[in-house]
Amino acid sequence: MKALKHFLMSPAAMLGLLLLVGIVGLAVFADLLYPRDPLGLAGRPLQWPNPAGRFLLGTDASGRDIAAQIAHGARTTLLMGVVSTLIAIAIGIVVGAVAGFYGGLTDDVLMRLTEAFQTLPNFILLLVLVVVVGSNITAVTIAIGVVSWPAVARLTRAEFLTLRNREFVQACRTLGLTNRWIIFREVLPNALAPIIVYGSVVMATAILLESALAFLDLSDPNIASWGNLIGQGRKVLRSEWYVSAIPGVAILLTILSVSLVGQGLNDALNPRLRNR
């Protein structure tokens, strides 16, 4: 309750939460707001935003409604960000937990594997995976999750190294509980708080990675995506800059909201910060 109260009393966290709720609401009600296909022809190409007209945010170079693409693209962006984050956290937890709990040779092998993944920048490795497995949204989401797990693994390992010799772990061993039970039922729940907080960083990075792929025409072109819209707008950036600027602002607000909520969770779940 103290953590929840501290979170609710944080102006930055509440601002982030309100922004995030608004973006989630836009994604949930996209079909009601814009029931037609967001990638279908809606009017003349490159009409400027007009709040009093038919197209609130204008049209792109193909004559598609930008507002419809923003609404439906919110669903794509959030779903991709959440799923890729869950994939990264799942892989990172398993690798980091096993490495931190067992130590020794197991720790050395898994950490060398983690360092091998971190040798190349995430985006370069992501480009390689997308070229190999394809650029549909499912493949892109899985690829982003696969390249994002090393930092989660190192954080999990650090938490397990501090917890594996605690009294409650020794008591579990005395009772004859299996290592798998101790890892996932006893130690992991005590290590989850910083991992959950770091999930906001992973999600923000995942959104940026997908947008960068779409900007390079390497993401799925058959779905409404903020990154795809930015990529289409680069061809008319000098004259109709709003085509790229509007989805850019949407991405900025989404990442800002996720970051503020993550920071609020960090302050609320960290006793040292909560008691300042």
Side-chain angles (χ1 to χ4, degrees):
M1 291 301 295
K2 287 185 177 180
L4 178 61
K5 182 179 179 181
H6 187 85
F7 180 85
L8 295 176
M9 291 179 62
S10 171
M14 292 309 299
L15 174 61
L17 184 60
L18 289 175
L19 283 173
L20 189 57
V21 168
I23 296 167
V24 171
L26 181 63
V28 170
F29 296 107
D31 287 331
L32 293 177
L33 296 172
Y34 299 97
R36 296 180 57 186
D37 181 5
L39 298 181
L41 182 64
R44 290 186 296 103
L46 300 177
Q47 296 187 54
W48 277 74
N50 182 8
R54 179 183 174 189
F55 301 109
L56 176 65
L57 300 178
T59 60
D60 63 12
S62 300
R64 297 177 294 196
D65 189 352
I66 291 178
Q69 294 184 71
I70 291 294
H72 287 269
R75 181 180 303 171
T76 301
T77 297
L78 291 176
L79 185 60
M80 180 278 307
V82 170
V83 173
S84 59
T85 299
L86 291 176
I87 292 173
I89 289 178
I91 298 174
I93 283 178
V94 171
V95 173
V98 172
F101 185 81
Y102 288 102
L105 180 61
T106 301
D107 184 23
D108 290 339
V109 171
L110 291 178
M111 285 302 99
R112 297 301 81 75
L113 175 64
T114 303
E115 290 171 1
F117 267 82
Q118 291 183 309
T119 300
L120 290 175
N122 280 4
F123 190 64
I124 301 299
L125 184 56
L126 179 60
L127 289 177
V128 174
L129 289 177
V130 168
V131 169
V132 172
V133 303
S135 59
N136 63 78
I137 191 61
T138 301
V140 169
T141 301
I142 294 174
I144 292 174
V146 168
V147 304
S148 302
W149 65 266
V152 180
R154 299 186 73 90
L155 176 61
T156 305
R157 173 181 177 268
E159 291 296 317
F160 267 71
L161 287 175
T162 62
L163 294 170
R164 67 180 183 180
N165 293 320
R166 294 285 181 87
E167 290 79 3
F168 72 92
V169 177
Q170 300 299 331
C172 291
R173 286 173 172 157
T174 302
L175 292 173
L177 298 178
T178 64
N179 286 336
R180 184 171 64 180
W181 178 281
I182 297 173
I183 290 173
F184 294 106
R185 295 295 186 91
E186 302 296 336
V187 181
L188 183 58
N190 290 280
L192 271 182
I195 298 172
I196 292 174
V197 171
Y198 190 75
S200 64
V201 177
V202 178
M203 183 172 176
T205 304
I207 293 172
L208 286 176
L209 288 174
E210 191 278 332
S211 300
L213 282 178
F215 183 79
L216 297 175
D217 294 329
L218 292 175
S219 188
D220 194 338
N222 300 314
I223 60 171
S225 163
W226 294 345
N228 283 336
L229 191 54
I230 292 176
Q232 296 160 16
R234 68 181 176 180
K235 301 174 183 178
V236 292
L237 191 59
R238 291 181 180 273
S239 54
E240 281 77 23
W241 50 267
Y242 66 90
V243 178
S244 291
I246 292 172
V249 171
I251 292 172
L252 173 64
L253 291 177
T254 303
I255 293 176
L256 177 63
S257 66
V258 171
S259 299
L260 289 176
V261 170
Q263 184 61 50
L265 287 173
N266 182 52
D267 294 346
L269 296 175
N270 190 325
R272 288 175 297 180
L273 295 176
R274 189 171 64 235
N275 294 328
R276 285 187 306 184

